[in-house]
Amino acid sequence: MAQSFLEQARVLDFIVHLQTRHTVYAPHRRGQRSFAFEKTSDPAAVELDYPRVLGSVKKYFLPPRETLMDFDLKTDTATAPQVEPVNAVFLGVHSYDLAAVKRLDHNFLTGKPERNYLVRRQGARFIGVSYVPDKFHFAGSVGIDPYDMTGSDVFLTRHPDGWIVDVLTGEGAALLQGFALPPHALPKPKREHFTQHIYVPQDSLGRILEASYDHPVWNETARSCLSCGTCNLVCPTCYCFNVEDQVAVTGDSGSRERSWDGCMLRGFTEVAGGEVFREKSAARQRHRIYRKFKYLSDATGQPWCVGCGRCTAACTAGISIVDIVNRLIRDAEREEKITA
Amino acid sequence: MELQILKPGLETRELYLPEMAEITAVRRLTEMETLYTVKMPGGRELGHQPGQFVEVSLFGVGEAPISISSSPTRHGEFEMGIRRVGMLTEVLAGYQPGRKIGIRGPFGNGIDVSKFRGKDVLIVAGGIGLVPMRSMINYVLDRRDEFGRLIICYGSRSDTELLFTDELAAWEKDPRVEYHVTVDRGSPDWRGRTGVITTLLPGLQLDLPNTVCCVCGPPVMYRFVVLTLRGKGLPDDNIYLSLERRMKCGVGKCGHCQINGSYVCQDGPVYHLPDIAKLREAL
Amino acid sequence: MANKPRVAIFDFTGCEGCELSQLNFEDQLLDILAQVDIVEWREAMDDRADEYDIAFVEGALSTPDCIKRIHDIRRRSKVLVALGSCAVDGGVNAIKNLHPIEEVRAEVYGKDQYLFPTLPALPLSAVVKVDHNVRGCPMTQGEFLRLFTALVMGKQFAEPDQSVCVECKLNENECVFERGMICLGPVTRGGCNSQCTNFGQYCIGCRGLVSEPNLAGMAETLASHGLAMDEAWKRLQLYNAYRLQGVRA
């Protein structure tokens, strides 16, 4: 569709344009060195040039904590609260996070589609932005480059003087209605380079992982892994959740609450009676990596890792998913050379 | 494969809100196990297959996956045999007939009965594994003509922990059933066989290609039972296993019950052995 | 409920901050009181009773008299709950266990030391069976309410066993390490809704360790963020001195 140009000087006007018509969520500074999606009020606080946000836009469709139902213990009845549609414009989403939304869609909308997720998800419109890969990004290795417009309604590509605007859907065109932009015909800037890479394509990775079940890397990683669950909780494609009942102090009412959970946490597979099916941290690490590069990928043909680098950037023990995977690849290649 | 999922007009259902069913009977089976009879709202059928489970919901306590113990051939109410091992089952142990409980389900694939039809049926149940297997056993008994021999091998830790003792006694007498039982440790009055469940298997005379087996029991049991069955020459293709995992949501969303690439609550809990023999974490 | 549970509250060696935070339930105190009979609580009342359905016990055990009293309380209580880090883990009191007991006694009581018999500080569970823990320094109020409700309802209480990082990430905080500080969150038991890191503080580990902490890994992480190895272990010992006795190789 049409391509136009948004000068840097008009970016604030553009945000104001969106904000007066829609609820807008965009990246803001959080803490000293981080960014997070928040609802915009001050357009000047929006940061379109950022390396990554702490949590992805996942939090709007699958909230970290959510009440599934309220119950009355006197009558033994439960009611599900009304789920509010998000119905918002997400400004400044990176391509890997949009790829992650698709994966969440797959989980929550195939098989038995979940209402809570769908109600929140269906009104969302996305304005993607390009980014400059930092030392943690490796999205290129899973086929998602910084200019990938898949999933965006409008996409903004960084240009020295502003942003090249691609309108990709009818919804995107509607977002720009009333905000005139000059057309743009120049070629896009050159591809940005990633500094982090996984050195084989996804299809052979599945095969390598298949053969790496007993690889020493799992135990080696377990020595430093603190099993804190951070890697799961920051991952934009992790969707596992736990459900627990809360009861009011008065003892007559309560609610069933769900919250994000993580397969790196020891209690994740615990069943009544106390058996834990992945007791060892090494087994949990392997499960996590296989979840991202094998199990769901075997079923769908898509890697379930989008290369955002969050798990590595946030790991409290400095464990790198790229290092683990490359180690497996290197050892598998060495093995092949020896046997060949 | 493209993941284009979100499209207009997608139908969704309420997945998490339970229906309120009523406990109509409570029967103590052993010190630890109790059998609950449950009536769905309006007396409607649960509509399950042998081997399926429900999520039982007690408000303020939580939910737990519970195997269905009655056969779908017995209409009206359904039964659940429950061992007191966790928070929910502990509270449930105090419930009397007339109490309401939440039910979601039935969930899981259940046993594909068509694979057993016309064949000799071998049921290997360890301990509480008899609870879901009872659903299959009674299914076969109620449609006896549709199946070949019915061979039941049941192992329990001790004779005081044997479940459904009245039915066991009936199977023992029933000429249509070949019933074998063993206990790990018998009390002084125990007249039957002593030993682990695998000791029941070598003596069985099986028409191997025509025998289909379903195994259910505690995790440690599967490996040994499968090895013994293979040792007898029963092909993997004729073996089904019912596995336990932490099934939280029952609808393939929450991720807890995943074994490698498979969700136990969707693809299981009953697995065809060739499908999981390669899943390293399954057995 | 026909008979309200009879509740008693006791304190041993500690700052009594946990009891104070019980009095601090402004919104819920009346709801709590409506459901129980408080039959013994030095901090708030004078009554005395002989038997308790639930005894809440604060503080560590650090004298021979403490040992005698806790046995007595246990004998008279159906359910015994350890309140706060001192009662659950020995807390900061247990730091004294790192030094020879006679040295500690001389340092604290000087020439009167023989009037004050003292023992290495112990969590309640080192001496009697403890049914439930409410962790934290002071105890985490939300956890107290969850346990209290469970006990009154007659259901089991599942103690949280995941790191502080979990709630910290649910709250989308910037990681403390990212700000150049060190944090014990990764091996510290959550359940506090990461209340310190929510306000820009680091986690000092007051809720004790998760059930299977990777301590060597945690010390390595702290060291990689600039702490000397000895200092790293000292940080871990602040609230975990009792549990870490003999752990470091």
Side-chain angles (χ1 to χ4, degrees):
Chain A
M1 271 200 211
Q3 202 170 77
S4 50
F5 195 78
L6 173 64
E7 280 175 56
Q8 190 57 41
R10 293 187 67 204
V11 168
L12 286 185
D13 289 346
F14 179 58
I15 299 171
V16 170
H17 165 84
L18 293 171
Q19 201 174 275
T20 49
R21 289 161 181 81
H22 312 279
T23 303
V24 179
Y25 294 100
H28 289 63
R29 290 199 166 270
R30 169 78 54 96
Q32 292 174 10
R33 299 165 61 184
S34 306
F35 299 86
F37 264 86
E38 285 172 21
K39 192 169 170 176
T40 59
S41 52
D42 173 12
V46 171
E47 301 275 353
L48 292 179
D49 275 311
Y50 67 98
R52 69 176 58 66
V53 280
L54 288 167
S56 69
V57 292
K58 172 176 86 173
K59 64 182 178 179
Y60 295 104
F61 313 129
L62 179 68
R65 299 179 178 88
E66 171 181 11
T67 300
L68 292 180
M69 67 195 73
D70 296 298
F71 45 77
D72 183 331
L73 291 171
K74 295 191 297 288
T75 57
D76 261 337
T77 49
T79 46
Q82 187 77 32
V83 178
E84 293 300 324
V86 172
N87 210 3
V89 175
F90 292 88
L91 169 65
V93 187
H94 288 174
S95 50
Y96 50 78
D97 276 350
L98 283 165
V101 170
K102 269 194 162 184
R103 283 154 179 79
L104 294 176
D105 286 353
H106 178 83
N107 185 60
F108 286 99
L109 301 178
T110 49
K112 297 179 172 122
E114 185 195 291
R115 197 194 53 197
N116 295 27
Y117 181 86
L118 181 69
V119 169
R120 294 197 177 92
R121 168 71 177 83
Q122 60 193 354
R125 283 142 294 164
F126 297 104
I127 301 180
V129 293
S130 66
Y131 64 95
V132 179
D134 72 359
K135 62 178 175 173
F136 296 114
H137 290 113
F138 59 99
S141 303
V142 288
I144 309 163
D145 85 20
Y147 303 106
D148 192 330
M149 303 192 282
T150 314
S152 288
D153 295 294
V154 174
F155 194 84
L156 309 178
T157 307
R158 197 69 174 118
H159 182 279
D161 304 322
W163 301 85
I164 300 164
V165 181
D166 280 279
V167 178
L168 301 150
T169 65
E171 302 240 310
L175 292 178
L176 291 178
Q177 207 154 42
F179 193 81
L181 289 170
H184 177 84
L186 296 173
K188 290 260 175 93
K190 282 232 299 261
R191 266 180 85 128
E192 299 284 352
H193 289 293
F194 286 92
T195 56
Q196 290 275 303
H197 301 277
I198 289 174
Y199 289 103
V200 296
Q202 175 62 36
D203 47 345
S204 32
L205 191 52
R207 191 173 44 76
I208 289 167
L209 289 179
E210 177 82 53
S212 304
Y213 197 87
D214 297 314
H215 194 281
V217 76
W218 311 123
N219 278 323
E220 286 164 24
T221 313
R223 255 175 253 147
S224 46
C225 174
L226 306 178
S227 292
C228 68
T230 294
C231 51
N232 294 140
L233 295 156
V234 298
C235 175
T237 69
C238 272
Y239 51 76
C240 291
F241 58 82
N242 192 18
V243 179
E244 269 177 350
D245 284 10
Q246 303 284 347
V247 179
V249 186
T250 46
D252 53 10
S253 64
S255 58
R256 186 159 288 170
E257 304 286 337
R258 84 161 155 195
S259 55
W260 293 350
D261 204 344
C263 60
M264 290 303 292
L265 299 165
R266 187 180 162 275
F268 186 76
T269 53
E270 190 171 350
V271 293
E275 175 147 3
V276 176
F277 285 92
R278 281 185 292 275
E279 173 78 50
K280 295 246 183 307
S281 157
R284 299 195 292 272
Q285 187 70 255
R286 176 178 56 216
H287 183 75
R288 177 174 81 95
I289 303 293
Y290 279 38
R291 279 297 286 269
K292 297 304 162 197
F293 291 107
K294 177 164 170 54
Y295 297 154
L296 292 156
S297 320
D298 285 352
T300 63
Q302 301 275 335
W304 230 250
C305 169
V306 293
C308 67
R310 283 186 181 92
C311 56
T312 303
C315 179
T316 52
I319 295 166
S320 157
I321 192 169
V322 172
D323 288 353
I324 293 177
V325 173
N326 282 340
R327 166 88 188 278
L328 298 176
I329 293 167
R330 205 175 58 231
D331 287 357
E333 281 169 354
R334 190 174 300 155
E335 189 101 333
E336 268 169 34
K337 269 191 205 123
I338 292 167
T339 49
Chain B
M1 184 180 118
E2 269 294 284
L3 300 172
Q4 287 286 5
I5 314 295
L6 184 67
K7 39 182 182 283
L10 200 60
E11 293 268 327
T12 62
R13 287 188 309 174
E14 172 55 56
L15 298 180
Y16 306 118
L17 209 55
E19 288 184 87
M20 296 314 290
E22 187 185 331
I23 298 176
T24 57
V26 176
R27 179 157 69 97
R28 195 73 179 267
L29 295 176
T30 69
E31 184 79 12
M32 292 296 286
E33 283 95 4
T34 308
L35 186 72
Y36 297 84
T37 309
V38 180
K39 188 167 92 186
M40 292 303 283
R44 74 162 179 82
E45 296 284 325
L46 182 64
H48 66 286
Q49 286 294 307
Q52 283 194 297
F53 67 96
V54 289
E55 289 282 347
V56 173
S57 185
L58 305 186
F59 296 133
V61 181
E63 277 193 312
I66 303 286
S67 302
I68 303 161
S69 187
S70 53
S71 165
T73 48
R74 315 265 163 108
H75 294 284
E77 302 169 333
F78 71 96
E79 293 169 333
M80 317 182 290
I82 297 181
R83 173 177 284 177
R84 282 163 52 189
V85 283
M87 189 182 299
L88 181 128
T89 51
E90 197 66 46
V91 174
L92 195 60
Y95 277 25
Q96 298 302 319
R99 266 308 274 268
K100 291 269 171 53
I101 56 172
I103 297 286
R104 290 192 301 126
F107 293 134
N109 57 355
I111 298 173
D112 183 354
V113 185
S114 68
K115 297 286 193 300
F116 290 75
R117 206 161 270 142
K119 310 274 182 161
D120 292 349
V121 178
L122 171 61
I123 302 286
V124 182
I128 196 162
L130 185 64
V131 169
M133 289 304 100
R134 174 178 175 259
S135 176
M136 180 65 179
I137 291 166
N138 283 328
Y139 186 97
V140 174
L141 285 172
D142 288 349
R143 300 185 172 183
R144 197 65 195 84
D145 305 343
E146 297 174 18
F147 301 88
R149 293 161 66 193
L150 172 60
I151 311 155
I152 302 168
C153 294
Y154 175 35
S156 176
R157 266 191 307 219
S158 75
D159 48 315
T160 55
E161 293 175 47
L162 290 170
L163 302 169
F164 306 109
T165 44
D166 48 343
E167 283 168 71
L168 303 184
W171 296 341
E172 198 143 24
K173 291 197 200 96
D174 193 333
R176 304 174 304 162
V177 182
E178 297 164 50
Y179 170 70
H180 306 278
V181 60
T182 181
V183 300
D184 297 355
R185 286 177 313 280
S187 68
D189 318 334
W190 176 245
R191 295 283 165 267
R193 180 197 274 269
T194 308
V196 294
I197 190 159
T198 42
T199 62
L200 291 176
L201 305 175
L204 295 179
Q205 297 295 320
L206 301 177
D207 172 12
L208 292 168
N210 196 38
T211 301
V212 186
C213 176
C214 190
V215 186
C216 186
V220 355
M221 174 195 122
Y222 295 106
R223 241 162 288 148
F224 295 105
V225 168
V226 167
L227 283 175
T228 315
L229 290 173
R230 281 175 174 164
K232 280 187 77 72
L234 190 66
D236 281 11
D237 204 39
N238 294 12
I239 302 175
Y240 292 82
L241 306 174
S242 180
L243 302 185
E244 183 199 15
R245 283 299 185 273
R246 179 180 170 189
M247 293 165 290
K248 192 100 197 173
C249 74
V251 288
K253 300 284 176 259
C254 80
H256 281 92
C257 65
Q258 198 178 37
I259 303 177
N260 299 167
S262 178
Y263 277 112
V264 180
C265 76
Q266 300 295 296
D267 309 330
V270 183
Y271 285 89
H272 193 200
L273 182 56
D275 292 341
I276 52 165
K278 276 189 284 179
L279 301 190
R280 298 286 295 268
E281 290 174 5
L283 295 179
Chain C
M1 191 171 296
N3 283 319
K4 290 183 180 178
R6 293 156 59 83
V7 167
I9 298 151
F10 301 95
D11 53 81
F12 287 92
T13 308
C15 68
E16 301 186 10
C18 296
E19 288 179 77
L20 282 175
S21 56
Q22 270 179 319
L23 288 173
N24 224 358
F25 284 118
E26 285 161 12
D27 296 336
Q28 298 100 344
L29 191 59
L30 290 177
D31 286 333
I32 295 173
L33 293 176
Q35 297 188 63
V36 295
D37 280 329
I38 297 190
V39 293
E40 193 154 327
W41 191 0
R42 186 177 62 78
E43 191 112 340
M45 59 193 288
D46 298 325
D47 285 6
R48 295 272 159 164
D50 294 328
E51 288 196 334
Y52 324 110
D53 291 305
I54 310 168
F56 291 104
V57 184
E58 181 210 36
L61 309 172
S62 64
T63 69
D65 185 53
C66 292
I67 309 285
K68 226 175 86 191
R69 264 180 74 217
I70 191 66
H71 277 299
D72 184 49
I73 293 167
R74 176 71 267 189
R75 198 165 37 76
R76 289 192 280 151
S77 315
K78 286 193 190 130
V79 174
L80 192 150
V81 180
L83 275 197
S85 108
C86 298
V88 174
D89 281 323
V92 287
N93 293 293
I95 293 173
K96 82 169 182 182
N97 305 2
L98 304 173
H99 307 275
I101 195 77
E102 292 310 317
E103 247 174 53
V104 172
R105 201 166 160 195
E107 174 74 25
V108 175
Y109 298 111
K111 66 181 169 51
D112 294 329
Q113 58 175 297
Y114 298 104
L115 300 176
F116 298 97
T118 186
L119 297 171
L122 300 171
L124 306 184
S125 59
V127 177
V128 295
K129 177 173 175 280
V130 172
D131 299 298
H132 299 287
N133 295 319
V134 178
R135 293 164 178 271
C137 177
M139 66 155 190
T140 306
Q141 290 201 346
E143 186 161 70
F144 178 86
L145 290 177
R146 284 192 293 279
L147 170 68
F148 178 86
T149 319
L151 290 176
V152 171
M153 283 178 69
K155 67 167 186 172
Q156 291 174 27
F157 173 72
E159 186 173 35
D161 187 14
Q162 51 191 28
S163 70
V164 170
C165 296
V166 172
E167 285 160 307
C168 194
K169 293 295 165 289
L170 259 53
N171 294 325
E172 214 185 353
N173 295 322
E174 179 178 53
C175 184
V176 167
F177 287 112
E178 189 71 19
R179 282 184 283 144
M181 293 193 279
I182 61 101
C183 185
L184 297 186
V187 290
T188 298
R189 204 179 277 254
C192 51
N193 193 26
S194 64
Q195 56 182 344
C196 296
T197 54
N198 294 352
F199 290 97
Q201 288 300 313
Y202 54 92
C203 172
I204 56 175
C206 81
R207 286 178 48 80
L209 297 166
V210 292
S211 61
E212 290 186 15
N214 177 356
L215 291 164
M218 187 72 236
E220 286 289 343
T221 287
L222 296 176
S224 75
H225 286 273
L227 287 192
M229 212 33 137
D230 278 340
E231 180 61 21
W233 281 95
K234 273 187 191 159
R235 297 283 179 113
L236 280 165
Q237 276 168 336
L238 180 59
Y239 279 97
N240 301 301
Y242 178 81
R243 196 165 153 192
L244 294 187
Q245 280 169 38
V247 163
R248 191 184 173 190

